[in-house]
Amino acid sequence: MKNQRLELIKGDITTLDVDAIVNAANNSLLGGGGVDGAIHKAAGPDLRAECVNLNGCPTGQAKITKGYRLKAKHIIHTVGPVWCGGYRDEHSLLASCYQTSLSLAKENMIKTLAFPGISTGVYGFPKDQAALIAVSETKRFLRKNVFPEKVIFVVFFDDSYEIYRKLLDQ
Ligand code: AR6
C-alpha cells in the first residue's frame, strides 16, 4: 500500500469502528438489499426514521445520517448508477458518488471513512472499472484535503480484494 491514507479490508462494513461508513443506497434512501439492507439491520429502526425525512437522494449525490447502533458515528448514503452498458453516464455518476461522499466527510470533519464498492452488486457496474474510479477519485480528493484523514475500501470477495490491491500498490 503506497499511500498511508488508504487501506483495504475484506469483511463486513457494518462492523467497523470508524467515524463514518458509506452506504450503497437507492433513490428512496429507505433501505433495500445488499450492503444497504445490512446497514439498516445493524443500525436499527431509528435510521429509517431519520431517512424518511431526507426526501430521497438523486443518483450520484450523497446525504448523511447518524450511525445509531453502529460503531460508526455517521452513515453517508450515496446512490450509485445502475449499469446500462456504460452509455448512460455511469462512469461520471459513480465518480460523483465518491466526490460527494468525500465532500460530506470533509464538511463533518470525519477522520476515518469506509467505502463499499458502490454499484458493484445489484447495480451491476463492472468491478474493475468501479474500483479504478473509487481509487482515483479518492486519491485526487485526499491530495487536496486534510479530511478525511484515512479512507478504507471494504470488499466482500477475494476477486474484488485483488482488484483493489493491484490498484493501491501502483
Ligand atoms: N460489507 C461490505 N461490502 C458488502 C456488504 C457488507 N456487509 N454487503 C454487500 N457488500 P450492493 P449496489 C458489497 O448490491 O450494487 C440495494 O438493494 C457487495 O459485494 O449492496 O450499489 C440498495 O437498496 C458489492 O460489491 O449495492 C439498492 O437498491 C457492494 O457491496 C441497490 O442494492 C455493493 O453491492 C444498490 O446496488
Side-chain angles (χ1 to χ4, degrees):
M1 205 80 41
K2 285 198 170 165
N3 189 327
Q4 301 294 315
R5 292 171 71 191
L6 297 177
E7 205 177 306
L8 175 61
I9 290 180
K10 189 181 152 198
D12 180 357
I13 200 168
T14 65
T15 65
L16 297 186
D17 190 1
V18 289
D19 288 343
I21 64 170
V22 178
N23 181 16
N26 58 55
N27 294 120
S28 78
L29 295 186
L30 298 180
V35 72
D36 192 10
I39 289 171
H40 273 265
K41 191 173 171 205
D46 289 346
L47 172 59
R48 194 176 192 279
E50 183 175 357
C51 286
V52 166
N53 293 317
L54 296 176
N55 296 314
C57 182
T59 303
Q61 300 294 307
K63 294 193 177 179
I64 191 164
T65 66
K66 289 189 271 188
Y68 297 98
R69 291 182 196 159
L70 297 178
K71 283 186 196 150
K73 290 175 215 61
H74 295 93
I75 304 165
I76 293 175
H77 306 261
T78 189
V79 184
V82 177
W83 180 255
C84 298
Y87 303 108
R88 296 211 179 153
D89 223 13
E90 294 98 312
H91 294 91
S92 52
L93 286 167
L94 186 63
S96 173
C97 287
Y98 284 90
Q99 291 155 7
T100 54
S101 297
L102 288 158
S103 295
L104 264 183
K106 177 187 172 183
E107 280 167 31
N108 288 276
M109 295 172 78
I110 280 162
K111 289 185 182 168
T112 48
L113 177 69
F115 276 107
I118 309 294
S119 284
T120 61
V122 177
Y123 282 1
F125 207 112
K127 287 186 175 187
D128 50 348
Q129 295 180 44
L132 183 58
I133 291 168
V135 172
S136 56
E137 291 306 325
T138 302
K139 278 186 175 170
R140 195 207 315 263
F141 192 92
L142 294 187
R143 272 198 294 274
K144 295 185 205 147
N145 295 284
V146 176
F147 287 100
E149 290 174 357
K150 182 158 231 171
V151 172
I152 303 164
F153 298 108
V154 186
V155 297
F156 233 25
F157 300 110
D158 286 333
D159 58 339
S160 312
Y161 189 91
E162 272 311 297
I163 291 169
Y164 274 95
R165 194 189 57 74
K166 282 184 188 144
L167 287 170
L168 293 170
D169 281 346
Q170 275 169 21

